[in-house]
Amino acid sequence: MKQITIISDFCYPNFAGGSSKHVFDLLMNFPEEEFNLKLVTRSKNPGSDYFAKDEKAEEHYVRFFQKGNVKEMSLGSIINPFRYIGSLKNTDYVLLQYPVMGVVGGLVAKLMGKKIYYHYHGPVHIEYKYKTGKEGFRYKLMWGIQKITAMLSDRVLVHSDYMKDIAIKEHKIRESKFGFVPPYIDKTLTSDKKEITRSENEKIQLLIPRRLTARTGVIEFLDQFLKSDKNFRDKFIIYVTGCGELAPEVTKLADSNPEHIKFLGFVSYDELKELYHQVDGVIVPTLDLEGCGLVILEALSCGTSVIVSKTCGGGYEFVRKNMGKDFIFDVFDHESVIRTLEFIAKKSYDPEYYKDIASRYDIKKMIKHYTNDILN
């Protein structure tokens, strides 16, 4: 049996977000008869803005922990190289998922002669800039640790050409070093969409399921929507879910516009699945740094349409390729936002159209790609 050690600062449900969910999905779906996966990660912080209160996911995480497949490290100890040695001693492959723990764990793995793969989920220094507006010492430090992590790795993995281009631009990684991890959907999160019949005067229901950070464009989209005239706004109600530092701003917008915006806070995947089935469409208004956009496939697999911003990176690539330009808007162009909302309100396609697209990206295919192509 081959041994895989994942080193990641974050893992769902300890931390919400697509890259954290990817770590959790690897733990859940690698074939246990062929591979033994271990995770080295930060200790959970229930006080974090990004802590995901998902009881079902927590049960699985605790099960991994009790089996000895998870080693948690305190924030102060993640830079201690000696803390990684025991976890790496008998491993065959090392998967780095975030550069803070990755740069230390990667260095130890390199000295131990291990095969190292680094999943480049996005440039952490630019994410930091979006959050703080700063480009000082910490910005440069974060650029540096990601550069070193990539240099230590035998291969750098990405979900999209968009993210590969960013990695080349920001960290000068040579193109031959990249490997591709296809986008995927875990079918256990989905079920058949119930036919929804709305009366002529009933509102079109839309959903924005995002981490509430500066780069995800939630505030910008809601501002564009609220600029429209009242007769147009009255056709829609937009639900927003998620957690993050912008939650107070979303709360304020919802409180000021209760007829058009409902903020639900963080919801578990079971609750999110129900919302996907309930709503008429999902909105992904990302401004930058979207490597994949897992929520796109989650919604499609439930038979629900999705519209994305043209700045949605890997998500834009996916929607343009599989669905076309009608599902794409410019989050900074009011007329573009209105036009796309009018399109989604027409329900031009039935649920089977969206489910067929999602069916091509089953998580088993992604895991098979790891086992047959990447790790070999």
Side-chain angles (χ1 to χ4, degrees), residues 219 222 226 238-240 247-265:
I219 301 297
L222 293 176
L226 291 171
I238 300 177
Y239 298 98
V240 182
E249 287 191 48
V250 177
T251 300
K252 185 177 179 180
L253 284 174
D255 289 346
S256 301
N257 303 273
E259 294 182 356
H260 305 110
I261 301 172
K262 302 288 185 185
F263 179 43
L264 306 180

Side-chain angles (χ1 to χ4, degrees), residues 51-274:
F51 186 71
K53 297 176 182 178
D54 188 329
E55 292 183 5
K56 183 177 288 187
E58 177 68 13
E59 288 176 4
H60 288 299
Y61 181 85
V62 170
R63 176 170 59 85
F64 292 130
F65 188 90
Q66 291 174 341
K67 288 172 59 179
N69 291 78
V70 176
K71 176 182 179 181
E72 291 187 347
M73 294 169 62
S74 67
L75 188 59
S77 66
I78 64 174
I79 60 173
N80 181 350
F82 298 103
R83 295 295 305 275
Y84 296 83
I85 293 175
S87 299
L88 295 173
K89 186 176 179 181
N90 296 314
T91 198
D92 297 295
Y93 307 107
V94 180
L95 303 183
L96 309 177
Q97 298 286 329
Y98 196 79
V100 177
M101 290 183 72
V103 71
V104 183
L107 179 59
V108 175
K110 195 74 172 179
L111 292 172
M112 296 174 71
K114 303 300 181 180
K115 194 77 171 175
I116 305 171
Y117 301 82
Y118 170 42
H119 195 137
Y120 191 104
H121 290 285
V124 293
H125 62 296
I126 299 180
E127 179 100 36
Y128 170 78
K129 180 183 175 181
Y130 266 108
K131 184 175 180 178
T132 66
K134 298 178 181 179
E135 291 188 50
F137 172 76
R138 190 171 179 182
Y139 173 89
K140 295 174 182 177
L141 176 63
M142 296 182 85
W143 176 90
I145 63 174
Q146 193 158 30
K147 172 72 172 180
I148 295 169
T149 303
M151 290 174 63
L152 290 169
S153 303
D154 296 285
R155 295 190 76 185
V156 175
L157 309 178
V158 291
H159 276 306
S160 59
D161 288 334
Y162 163 83
M163 192 54 73
K164 181 184 77 172
D165 292 342
I166 285 185
I168 291 172
K169 177 184 176 182
E170 293 295 328
H171 289 104
K172 305 299 185 289
I173 303 168
R174 67 179 185 274
E175 189 156 353
S176 61
K177 199 171 187 177
F178 284 95
F180 180 68
V181 178
Y184 63 92
I185 175 63
D186 183 349
K187 292 296 182 65
T188 62
L189 299 176
T190 67
S191 58
D192 290 337
K193 186 178 180 70
K194 300 172 184 175
E195 193 64 35
I196 300 173
T197 303
R198 303 202 191 284
S199 66
E200 186 176 341
N201 297 323
E202 195 172 354
K203 291 179 183 288
I204 299 295
Q205 298 187 24
L206 303 174
L207 171 66
I208 305 178
R210 302 266 61 200
R211 267 200 308 150
L212 302 177
T213 66
R215 74 167 183 83
T216 54
V218 176
I219 301 297
E220 287 78 3
F221 184 89
L222 293 176
D223 283 344
Q224 293 287 7
F225 170 72
L226 291 171
K227 286 180 185 177
S228 58
D229 64 68
K230 188 175 186 302
N231 287 336
F232 182 83
R233 293 198 309 273
D234 285 347
K235 297 178 183 178
F236 300 91
I237 182 165
I238 300 177
Y239 298 98
V240 182
T241 69
C243 55
E245 67 269 15
L246 295 184
E249 287 191 48
V250 177
T251 300
K252 185 177 179 180
L253 284 174
D255 289 346
S256 301
N257 303 273
E259 294 182 356
H260 305 110
I261 301 172
K262 302 288 185 185
F263 179 43
L264 306 180
F266 176 83
V267 299
S268 70
Y269 266 92
D270 279 349
E271 294 169 309
L272 187 58
K273 179 175 69 175
E274 291 302 315

